[in-house]
Amino acid sequence: MQHVILCLQISLLLSSFSYLMQAQYTSIFSFGDSYTDTGNKVILYGPAAADLWINKPPFGMTFFGHPAGRLSDGRLVIDFIAQALGLPLLPPSLAKDQSFKQGANFAVAGATALKTSTTSPALYPQLAVAGDAVPPPNNISLADELGWFDAMKPALCGSPQACKDYFAKALFVVGELGWNDYGVMVVGGKSVAEAQSYVPQIVATIVAATEKLINDGATTVVVSGISPMGCAPGNLVLLASQDPADYEPDTGCLKGMNELSRDHNAQLSQALTTLGGRYPGARVTYADLYGPVIAFAAAPARFGFDSALRDCCGSGGGKYNFNLSAACGMPGVAACPNPSVYVNWDGVHLTEAAYHRVADGWLRGPYANPPILATA
């Protein structure tokens, strides 16, 4: 009997904790690129979206059963966060006839941190088929996403004070940004060192956006770093080297691109710590995207994966199964039978299974400090 009572007490305690965490946030507002986009890119293409290859099967196959605006086989980190908090999956901010009272997602696949003139929009078509860069006129920067957020405010709250009260109960997520800035430069012919020279400017842009959200009333902002770009099958094909020294011995990833990712993340994490110190009333959390993905690459079987550097949905076979001219969603390109044992979905983006593990690390630790589900 005592054992039954103890189990019941534990169950009630866990239920109460879950309820408190769900009640802590009444809405979510997110920004970012294709790692976070839940449909804005498809909406931006308008009528042409019907023929857009990222809007065709097998995208969305695992959870939704059909393409759902996400560049994956299923849910993204932002989806798992919303579900953990008891909130609906975030609608894309450009959706029509949609209520955004419980949140909106302003992220767009292909979005850059810097304005696209800085990274040369003429290079975008070279990455368009990789699914993570939008050809003009749909190339979007973080500034555009913040502009959409500002334009939505009157529909959410009637006055500056009302907005501050409303946003104080919201979770803000600044998803991955920077990948497209660096990717366009490197694939376009710049050296990794040249791309790395933009890190301070890109980080400053992300931090400025975070500070703007705090000044708008946000009290909790989660800011993502970038993933190890040298581990993406697309980059491993497009930036292949004949020199074995250019690859990490423990992961097989490209050293230079991963060094770029680490530099970006180190500068971003430090800058966010400094920012948080200036706003003691706000909780600014750096969310590590590099750590979990590099761990998957180093020891995939430890996390239940069979493959970390070979994409599930691609063509070309070989070590990485990536072909720029026959990408996922294009005619004749099929997905693997079981995406859950793959880390990478299409050469750039992750599978739902990988995103789920990342989300758990952000929600409960150790990949966010403090974790999202930690009490304030």
Side-chain angles (χ1 to χ4, degrees):
M1 177 64 71
Q2 289 179 333
H3 176 72
V4 172
I5 293 174
L6 178 61
C7 289
L8 179 61
Q9 290 174 330
I10 292 173
S11 177
L12 290 172
L13 180 62
L14 291 174
S15 297
S16 299
F17 177 76
S18 175
Y19 172 77
L20 286 171
M21 295 318 302
Q22 291 178 11
Q24 182 177 347
Y25 302 110
T26 58
S27 58
I28 303 174
F29 296 93
S30 64
F31 307 81
D33 60 16
S34 56
Y35 273 57
T36 311
D37 185 7
T38 56
N40 281 325
K41 179 175 182 177
V42 172
I43 294 171
L44 280 170
Y45 270 90
D51 299 318
L52 192 63
W53 54 268
I54 64 164
N55 197 31
K56 293 183 178 297
F59 283 94
M61 63 180 275
T62 296
F63 180 77
F64 302 98
H66 56 80
R70 294 155 174 83
L71 276 75
S72 181
D73 62 305
R75 290 164 290 181
L76 312 179
V77 171
I78 194 66
D79 295 315
F80 288 111
I81 290 173
Q83 290 179 323
L85 296 178
L87 293 169
L89 300 185
L90 288 188
S93 65
L94 300 179
K96 303 296 184 184
D97 303 319
Q98 178 72 51
S99 171
F100 298 109
K101 283 294 186 180
Q102 289 185 287
N105 190 348
F106 300 91
V108 181
T112 52
L114 304 180
K115 289 184 179 295
T116 50
S117 58
T118 306
T119 52
S120 181
L123 295 174
Y124 269 66
Q126 297 183 37
L127 286 183
V129 295
D132 206 23
V134 184
N138 294 336
N139 43 346
I140 300 298
S141 70
L142 178 55
D144 295 308
E145 296 180 14
L146 292 171
W148 297 340
F149 170 66
D150 286 339
M152 185 181 286
K153 285 182 193 175
L156 298 173
C157 39
S159 68
Q161 185 57 50
C163 284
K164 285 187 177 294
D165 294 341
Y166 176 65
F167 294 140
K169 300 175 183 177
L171 173 68
F172 284 79
V173 178
V174 180
E176 182 194 68
L177 284 160
W179 173 294
N180 293 312
D181 300 77
Y182 304 126
V184 167
M185 295 178 205
V186 175
V187 174
K190 289 184 181 293
S191 68
V192 172
E194 287 177 304
Q196 200 161 355
S197 69
Y198 284 84
V199 170
Q201 186 179 353
I202 290 169
V203 166
T205 301
I206 296 169
V207 173
T210 304
E211 184 168 25
K212 174 208 163 11
L213 295 174
I214 294 172
N215 288 327
D216 286 341
T219 57
T220 305
V221 189
V222 175
V223 185
S224 172
I226 61 176
S227 62
M229 294 185 290
C231 296
N235 284 338
L236 283 161
V237 170
L238 296 175
L239 304 174
S241 171
Q242 297 300 313
D243 186 353
D246 289 335
Y247 295 85
E248 296 173 344
D250 56 335
T251 64
C253 303
L254 288 163
K255 283 183 180 178
M257 294 301 288
N258 279 2
E259 288 172 0
L260 172 56
S261 296
R262 288 195 299 271
D263 186 20
H264 170 99
N265 292 336
Q267 292 193 37
L268 178 61
S269 177
Q270 180 58 52
L272 291 172
T273 298
T274 301
L275 177 67
R278 297 205 303 269
Y279 292 91
R283 185 169 72 171
V284 180
T285 298
Y286 169 73
D288 183 6
L289 186 54
Y290 186 100
V293 178
I294 202 69
F296 301 158
R302 178 183 168 195
F303 302 95
F305 297 117
D306 291 343
S307 176
L309 303 185
R310 179 181 171 88
D311 67 50
C312 166
C313 184
S315 62
K319 195 173 182 179
Y320 308 117
N321 194 38
F322 180 83
N323 183 346
L324 195 61
S325 59
C328 186
M330 291 183 177
V333 179
C336 61
N338 186 8
S340 69
V341 297
Y342 280 71
V343 172
N344 198 278
W345 167 244
D346 60 1
V348 176
H349 310 96
L350 307 185
T351 59
E352 176 180 279
Y355 282 131
H356 195 175
R357 286 194 171 275
V358 173
D360 281 345
W362 290 12
L363 287 162
R364 300 170 179 86
Y367 295 116
N369 185 24
I372 294 171
L373 292 183
T375 54

